[in-house]
Each structure stands twice: as C-alpha cells, then as structure tokens.
C-alpha cells in the first residue's frame, strides 16, 4: 500500500527537504515544483507544434493542476487530513490524492495508444495485441499470487487469534482448508493466464498466415487447453465446496467461503467459443476453396 503514492509522495518529500535547506534550496524546490506541474502543458504545446494534437490531450490540461495540487499536499502532509478528510485519518487521503493523478495520466496514455493503434497496419496491431496479452497475463499471475498469499496469511492469523480456546485439531483442520481454498482460488486465475499466453502464441502465427497450418495447429491446441481448463476450474470449485460442506463440523465458522469464480469461468468459456468459431471458419474457407 505504501507504494501506491509513488512517485508523487517521494517527490513531495524531496521538495520539502530542499525548501528547508535555506535560500538556494528553497529556490530550487520552487523551480522543480513549477517544472513538474508544467510538463503536461509542455506536452500539449509540443503536440500542437507538430500537428499531432488530439482530443485526448484535454486530459493533460487537467493533469497539470492535479499535479500542482498533489505536490503541494505532499510537500505539506499535515494539510492532507485538514482539507481532504472530515476527520483525522492518519494521512489515508493521500492514496486518493495519488490515485487522481495516476488515473488521469493512465487514461491519457491509454487513449493515446488507442489513437495510435488506429493508424497501424494489421501485423503491427497483432504484435501490439500479443504484447498486451503477455503483459496482462504476467501481471495477473503476480497479482494473484500476492493477493492469495496475503489473504491466506491474514486468514490464518485471524483463525488462530479469534479461536484461541478451540481445540488444536480444529485449528489445524481449518488451516488445511484455508490452504486448500487458496489453491482452489489460484487455479481459475492461472488457467486464464495460461490461455492468454497461448492466445499470444496464436497471434504470432496469425500475423504470418491467418489460416496457415501453424496458426490452425495453435488454435486447435488452444481449444483443447480451454476445454481441459474449463472443466478443471468447474470441478475444483465444486469439489472445494463439497469438501467444505462435508467437513463443516470440523471447520471454524470464520473460514467458510463459497467458491464460484464466474469471471474466470466466463473468460475461459469465451476463449473456447472463439477457438471453435475460428476453426469452423477455417473449415468453411477450405470448403469454399475446393469449389473455387
């Protein structure tokens, strides 16, 4: 959570340290302050001069005052709770402050990317899509592992602290089911990430020959993998729920949870339907080529 304010809080800390060093440091702090906030405005002028301005650049005009306001609060952190929260919150409002700046910047970058994609050739679009799939799959795996590990550790501590008077065997059984549930929660996300990697491999072959032998072979592999993983996700969720019900008298109440990963099920099923659609299109194309 402490990294959510990077780099704005760290820049505010640097400006504050500079301003406290005396005259030259204070002057340097003001110069850096105005320079940091004027970067989006300078970008707008640069795009206008080169004839590449777009409606999305309006966000840069909103980003500049957001940076100024954010840096001012991070330079003066005591004012965050005074002006941004109705009660002393220990500086928690700084996360919302950083989120405003990050969301404006990220939205502008994504809109600019979409504009750029509209002018690219098909092979470049497929390459960009493949990179996005790989990046999203890698980020999904990292976030899933970190979240699952954190939830498992927190749940174990909660069970042990909240049931200090319970039998040790019950706590051990509960911790075992917590581990089982964590593994079951990992499988749907990992299945989706695996299919994204396979989809990226298919796009690479598709860029060379959309209906070539290599692309069809990879799509056939994607179809088989999506079917296996879809069944695995469904059986894992159902099996975990059944075991939890069967051993419910041995599990402490604080650890009960019903598993039904709808988002992952829809994603995996959607990828399988797309693979079936592609293979059917390939079959129809081959039939038409035979008549021609």
């Amino acid at each position: 959570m402490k990294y959510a304010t990077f780099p704005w809080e760290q820049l505010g800390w640097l400006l504050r340290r500079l301003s406290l060093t005396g005259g030259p440091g204070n002057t340097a702090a003001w110069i850096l302050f105005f320079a940091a906030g004027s970067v989006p405005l300078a970008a707008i002028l640069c795009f206008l001069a080169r004839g590449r301005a777009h409606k999305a650049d309006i966000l840069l005009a909103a980003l500049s005052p957001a940076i100024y306001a954010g840096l001012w609060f991070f330079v003066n952190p005591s004012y965050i709770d005074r002006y941004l929260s109705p009660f002393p919150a220990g500086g928690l409002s700084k996360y919302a402050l950083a989120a405003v700046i990050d969301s404006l910047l990220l939205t502008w970058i994504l809109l600019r990317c979409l504009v750029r994609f509209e002018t690219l050739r098909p092979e470049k679009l497929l390459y960009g899509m493949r990179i996005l799939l790989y990046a999203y799959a890698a980020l999904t795996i990292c976030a899933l592992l970190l979240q699952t590990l954190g939830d498992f550790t927190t749940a174990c501590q909660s069970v042990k602290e909240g049931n200090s008077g319970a039998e040790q065997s019950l706590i051990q059984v509960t911790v075992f089911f917590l581990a089982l549930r964590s593994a079951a929660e990992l499988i749907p996300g990992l299945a989706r990430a695996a299919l994204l990697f396979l989809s990226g491999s298919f796009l690479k072959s598709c860029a060379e020959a959309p209906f070539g032998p290599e692309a069809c072979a990879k799509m056939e592999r994607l179809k088989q993998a999506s079917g296996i993983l879809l069944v695995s996700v469904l059986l894992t969720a159902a099996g975990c729920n059944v075991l939890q019900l069967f051993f419910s008298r041995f599990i402490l109440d604080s650890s009960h949870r019903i598993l039904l990963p709808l988002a992952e099920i829809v994603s995996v099923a959607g990828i399988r339907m797309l693979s079936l659609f592609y293979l059917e299109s390939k079959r129809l194309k081959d039939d038409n080529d035979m008549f021609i």
Side-chain angles (χ1 to χ4, degrees):
M1 190 70 175
K2 61 181 179 180
Y3 301 109
T5 57
F6 180 83
W8 315 112
E9 185 176 15
Q10 288 73 19
L11 183 56
W13 176 85
L14 176 62
L15 294 175
R16 182 176 178 84
R17 292 294 300 270
L18 281 175
S19 64
L20 294 176
T21 59
N26 188 44
T27 302
W30 278 107
I31 293 175
L32 288 175
F33 175 79
F34 285 112
S38 62
V39 168
L41 299 178
I44 293 177
L45 294 177
C46 181
F47 287 131
L48 289 173
R50 300 175 63 180
R52 296 184 178 181
H54 190 268
K55 294 179 181 179
D57 298 332
I58 296 175
L59 290 173
L60 292 177
L63 179 61
S64 185
I67 292 177
Y68 280 130
L71 288 180
W72 186 84
F73 277 111
F74 284 124
V75 171
N76 304 278
S78 61
Y79 291 155
I80 292 180
D81 281 344
R82 181 182 302 180
Y83 294 107
L84 299 181
S85 179
F87 55 87
L92 291 178
S93 298
K94 66 181 182 181
Y95 299 109
L97 187 63
V100 171
I101 303 175
D102 292 339
S103 60
L104 287 173
L105 179 60
L106 181 60
T107 302
W108 174 77
I109 292 175
L110 291 177
L111 289 177
R112 266 291 178 175
C113 289
L114 290 176
V115 174
R116 176 63 176 169
F117 288 159
E118 291 178 358
T119 60
L120 293 178
R121 293 177 298 177
E123 57 271 17
K124 291 292 185 180
L125 285 175
L126 289 176
Y127 175 77
M129 188 183 302
R130 181 159 55 93
I131 297 301
L132 287 176
L133 286 177
Y134 287 154
Y136 178 68
L139 290 175
T140 297
I141 293 175
C142 293
L144 187 62
L145 291 175
L146 291 174
Q147 181 179 356
T148 303
L149 180 60
D151 291 345
F152 173 71
T153 303
T154 302
C156 288
Q157 292 177 350
S158 177
V159 167
K160 293 178 181 179
E161 293 174 359
N163 300 276
S164 57
E167 296 182 8
Q168 190 65 26
S169 59
L170 292 180
I171 294 179
Q172 291 176 351
V173 171
T174 303
V175 170
F176 169 76
F177 270 93
L178 287 174
L180 182 65
R181 188 183 67 194
S182 297
E185 290 174 346
L186 276 175
I187 290 177
L190 294 178
R192 181 172 59 179
L195 291 180
L196 290 177
F197 279 116
L198 290 176
S199 299
S201 178
F202 163 75
L203 290 178
K204 182 179 180 180
S205 301
C206 188
E208 300 172 356
F211 289 99
E214 185 178 356
C216 292
K218 290 186 177 181
M219 182 55 74
E220 184 68 32
R221 189 187 312 163
L222 182 62
K223 184 193 76 170
Q224 295 175 358
S226 61
I228 294 173
L229 291 175
L230 180 59
V231 173
S232 301
V233 169
L234 293 172
L235 291 179
T236 299
C240 188
N241 292 332
V242 169
L243 288 175
Q244 182 175 245
L245 178 62
F246 187 75
F247 291 97
S248 59
R249 60 190 297 261
F250 303 106
I251 304 175
L252 300 175
D253 293 338
S254 59
S255 66
H256 282 268
R257 183 185 297 179
I258 304 301
L259 294 182
L260 189 61
L262 288 178
E264 287 77 8
I265 291 173
V266 171
S267 299
V268 175
I271 292 175
R272 178 168 177 79
M273 287 188 287
L274 287 175
S275 65
L276 292 173
F277 176 78
Y278 172 87
L279 293 174
E280 180 64 18
S281 300
K282 175 65 168 59
R283 187 188 65 81
L284 293 176
K285 179 180 179 301
D286 292 341
D287 292 342
N288 292 331
D289 291 343
M290 291 178 60
F291 289 108
I292 295 175

